[in-house]
Amino acid sequence: DIVAHHWAHAPNIDCDSWGGSETKWHMEWKARFPAHCVEQRIERGGQWHRADVLLPDNIVIEFQHSSISTDQIEEREKFYRRMIWVLDVKDVADSLEFIREKDGLKVHWPRPRKSFEVSARTCVLDLGDGRMFYVRRWSSGCYFGWGQFVSRDRFIEKFTRDLTPPELRGITIDEIADGKLEKLGYKITERDPDLHSEFWRPTITVVKI
């Protein structure tokens, strides 16, 4: 009744230099993913860090509640390579303005986290009410972003449900366009058109030729 269940590291082990205190929001997000994907240690070039979530196809999801510097953003993106940022913006969600344009939706963020202007990875804004806004690109300073809404349930389903044959996991959209599926003996029977990004992992249905 006093101490809630939460993620904790075993005692007497080295702490990740990128680690820090976690909010309830952070812990609730990690609890939505299978335990074997959470707090996974990744080692590269003599360094190691723990990813919040490491998916089977080596995409990392990092949940970011507080502000973070441009140096930290670039360092993590360089280390993790394929990754998605989920930003907690529920405290400022009421100030966000969503504008319908001919080619989609635009979000106006009056007081943005400007450091994400340097980000070269997918950013998803968690509005705290079950909605998330997937940002395809930012304006200078992140005052505006272009993208579309996706529900939190839809986002979780995308990244926890993986029925892809093992030999096809990790194939990029460019490789699919170059005919790699056919070379491996598969063909697409159905394509999910909602989002197109290598790091979003759009759903496709395939069958053996």
Side-chain angles (χ1 to χ4, degrees), residues 36-37 54-59 159 162 169-170 201:
H36 66 272
C37 294
L54 176 63
L55 301 170
D57 50 4
N58 294 320
I59 294 177
F159 294 109
D162 190 0
R169 292 175 187 172
R201 191 207 280 169

Side-chain angles (χ1 to χ4, degrees), residues 147-189:
Q148 67 187 83
F149 284 112
V150 61
S151 71
R152 182 176 58 204
D153 291 342
R154 176 77 164 147
F155 179 88
I156 293 169
E157 182 199 14
K158 282 274 188 179
F159 294 109
T160 56
R161 181 175 180 270
D162 190 0
L163 303 180
T164 308
E167 63 269 28
L168 300 185
R169 292 175 187 172
I171 291 180
T172 66
I173 289 177
D174 287 342
E175 289 174 327
I176 291 174
D178 289 340
K180 186 167 183 178
L181 284 179
E182 288 75 13
K183 292 174 184 175
L184 293 173
Y186 289 86
K187 70 176 181 179
I188 297 174
T189 59

Side-chain angles (χ1 to χ4, degrees), residues 133-145:
F133 191 76
Y134 167 88
V135 181
R136 288 198 181 95
R137 64 183 177 91
W138 291 111
S139 69
S140 176
C142 298
Y143 288 98
F144 294 95

Side-chain angles (χ1 to χ4, degrees):
D1 293 335
I2 298 173
V3 180
H5 289 290
H6 63 278
W7 289 98
H9 301 146
N12 301 320
I13 62 173
D14 292 336
C15 290
D16 188 345
S17 60
W18 290 347
S21 60
E22 292 190 340
T23 63
K24 181 182 178 182
W25 171 85
H26 202 128
M27 292 185 287
E28 286 177 345
W29 258 113
K30 290 197 294 187
R32 294 183 174 106
F33 288 82
H36 66 272
C37 294
V38 175
E39 289 286 328
Q40 291 301 300
R41 180 175 172 132
I42 300 175
E43 298 186 30
R44 288 195 180 107
Q47 298 184 59
W48 70 269
H49 294 287
R50 283 192 188 88
D52 285 341
V53 171
L54 176 63
L55 301 170
D57 50 4
N58 294 320
I59 294 177
V60 168
I61 301 179
E62 283 286 285
F63 302 104
Q64 195 63 38
H65 167 76
S66 57
S67 297
I68 187 172
S69 71
T70 56
D71 288 345
Q72 290 174 307
I73 291 171
E74 291 178 327
E75 186 179 8
R76 294 190 192 191
E77 291 184 357
K78 182 178 179 181
F79 181 82
Y80 288 135
R81 300 175 186 171
R82 306 181 69 205
M83 68 171 293
I84 295 166
W85 294 100
V86 176
L87 308 185
D88 181 7
V89 299
K90 63 180 180 295
D91 291 343
V92 299
D94 289 343
S95 69
L96 301 181
E97 181 184 8
F98 296 94
I99 305 161
R100 175 70 64 180
E101 295 187 336
K102 288 189 300 183
D103 56 347
L105 274 175
K106 177 172 72 174
V107 59
H108 174 218
W109 193 350
R111 293 178 294 279
R113 298 184 193 174
K114 297 179 184 179
S115 56
F116 274 90
E117 181 180 0
V118 305
S119 175
R121 302 292 182 261
T122 294
C123 288
V124 184
L125 308 181
D126 180 7
L127 303 176
D129 59 1
R131 295 178 304 156
M132 305 178 75
F133 191 76
Y134 167 88
V135 181
R136 288 198 181 95
R137 64 183 177 91
W138 291 111
S139 69
S140 176
C142 298
Y143 288 98
F144 294 95
W146 287 264
Q148 67 187 83
F149 284 112
V150 61
S151 71
R152 182 176 58 204
D153 291 342
R154 176 77 164 147
F155 179 88
I156 293 169
E157 182 199 14
K158 282 274 188 179
F159 294 109
T160 56
R161 181 175 180 270
D162 190 0
L163 303 180
T164 308
E167 63 269 28
L168 300 185
R169 292 175 187 172
I171 291 180
T172 66
I173 289 177
D174 287 342
E175 289 174 327
I176 291 174
D178 289 340
K180 186 167 183 178
L181 284 179
E182 288 75 13
K183 292 174 184 175
L184 293 173
Y186 289 86
K187 70 176 181 179
I188 297 174
T189 59
E190 185 178 346
R191 185 188 297 269
D192 176 4
D194 63 350
L195 294 168
H196 295 281
S197 164
E198 177 180 354
F199 302 119
W200 173 253
R201 191 207 280 169
T203 303
I204 60 173
T205 302
V206 298
V207 296
K208 270 284 191 181
I209 298 175

